[in-house]
Amino acid sequence: MDGENKLNFPSLPASKEDQLDWAYPMRREMQEILPGLFLGPYSAAMKSKLPTLEKQGITHIVCVRQDIEANFIKPNFPLKFRYLVLDIADNPVENIIRYFPMTKEFIDGSLQSGGKVLVHGNAGISRSAALVIAYLMETFGVKYRDAFSHVQERRFCINPNVGFVHQLQEYEAIYLAKLTIKMMSPIQLGRSFSLQAGMPGSLKRTLEEDEDFGGMQVTAAQNG
């Protein structure tokens, strides 16, 4: 991977020296993880918080909830903000990797248009934190541990469940493989098929599963 297909990533912004000391009630608010990218709990996206959302310049919201939570975790301002609604359970066996690409596309679209995006689940601790960590990993080419530390410095209460942690650790190899394949010429791509055939079963299967994630957004939106 260090040859002609060298992947270039931007640098992860340095930690601010004026980082606020974490106080327990801050878990009920959203925090800015990167310029324009916020992570928080559902309480930061409730109807009473519209003035705060507008003051912060939020334009896009990733709303994470499983179907049984849809009655009390929902897009409250469909006419004000653009939403991506994801049906994800906070369960160690939940396949959260399949949501990483669409979440990255949504966040990138928001930031590139000059907008700001809030990613929230229920508590802003496990599911939404995992999505933000994956975004940092893929955007800046950093390992899980470094991405986790960056997010935790800004929202100390994050704690992705053990299944999500394992998937985040696996994701590094997956997104690097996909980026490398994307950069290859057609001749190099032909050679890579034999390489992919020799992949560990679980990694190859996950890459294949990623190809059908497009249909998940429709399913998720219907639950709203």
Side-chain angles (χ1 to χ4, degrees):
M1 204 164 290
D2 293 333
E4 56 196 275
N5 292 315
K6 179 80 172 154
L7 296 167
N8 292 313
F9 294 98
S11 297
L12 191 60
S15 296
K16 296 177 183 172
E17 288 184 12
D18 62 346
Q19 203 69 49
L20 289 172
D21 285 335
W22 181 263
Y24 187 68
M26 290 168 67
R27 77 194 194 286
R28 291 194 290 266
E29 304 160 7
M30 61 181 181
Q31 283 80 37
E32 194 167 19
I33 306 302
L34 293 171
L37 173 59
F38 293 77
L39 170 63
Y42 177 58
S43 58
M46 292 166 68
K47 290 188 175 176
S48 60
K49 293 298 170 69
L50 181 58
T52 306
L53 293 167
E54 290 183 324
K55 184 181 173 187
Q56 291 284 9
I58 298 296
T59 55
H60 293 60
I61 296 179
V62 179
C63 173
V64 184
R65 87 285 173 88
Q66 67 181 117
D67 50 4
I68 59 171
E69 297 171 310
N71 288 333
F72 65 93
I73 298 179
K74 50 194 167 188
N76 286 316
F77 313 103
L79 302 179
K80 283 232 174 263
F81 307 119
R82 190 166 165 219
Y83 282 85
L84 173 63
V85 181
L86 301 176
D87 179 4
I88 305 174
D90 186 13
N91 185 318
V93 300
E94 176 74 277
N95 179 355
I96 198 170
I97 283 182
R98 65 172 61 224
Y99 297 97
F100 293 164
M102 71 174 85
T103 303
K104 176 162 169 53
E105 190 179 335
F106 185 79
I107 294 173
D108 282 343
S110 164
L111 299 179
Q112 285 161 12
S113 67
K116 294 185 177 182
V117 57
L118 164 63
V119 182
H120 78 77
N122 184 11
I125 285 175
S126 182
R127 293 169 291 186
S128 53
L131 294 174
V132 170
I133 289 168
Y135 178 80
L136 263 64
M137 288 174 63
E138 186 165 1
T139 303
F140 299 99
V142 295
K143 294 185 184 302
Y144 164 73
R145 179 50 51 193
D146 296 328
F148 175 88
S149 297
H150 183 91
V151 178
Q152 192 185 45
E153 281 171 8
R154 289 151 183 79
R155 183 168 175 78
F156 186 71
C157 61
I158 67 165
N159 186 23
N161 75 51
V162 65
F164 292 172
V165 171
H166 289 154
Q167 290 177 70
L168 285 162
Q169 290 167 333
E170 284 178 15
Y171 191 56
E172 188 180 337
I174 294 167
Y175 79 73
L176 286 174
K178 289 174 80 169
L179 282 174
T180 305
I181 288 170
K182 204 179 282 186
M183 291 173 64
M184 284 180 174
S185 68
I187 296 166
Q188 291 170 315
L189 204 50
R191 287 198 209 107
S192 82
F193 283 123
S194 56
L195 176 130
Q196 202 170 323
M199 276 184 183
S202 62
L203 178 56
K204 186 166 184 285
R205 196 161 53 246
T206 314
L207 280 169
E208 287 163 357
E209 281 174 2
D210 264 3
E211 296 310 313
D212 63 30
F213 75 80
M216 299 303 297
Q217 195 166 2
V218 181
T219 314
Q222 285 171 350
N223 287 328

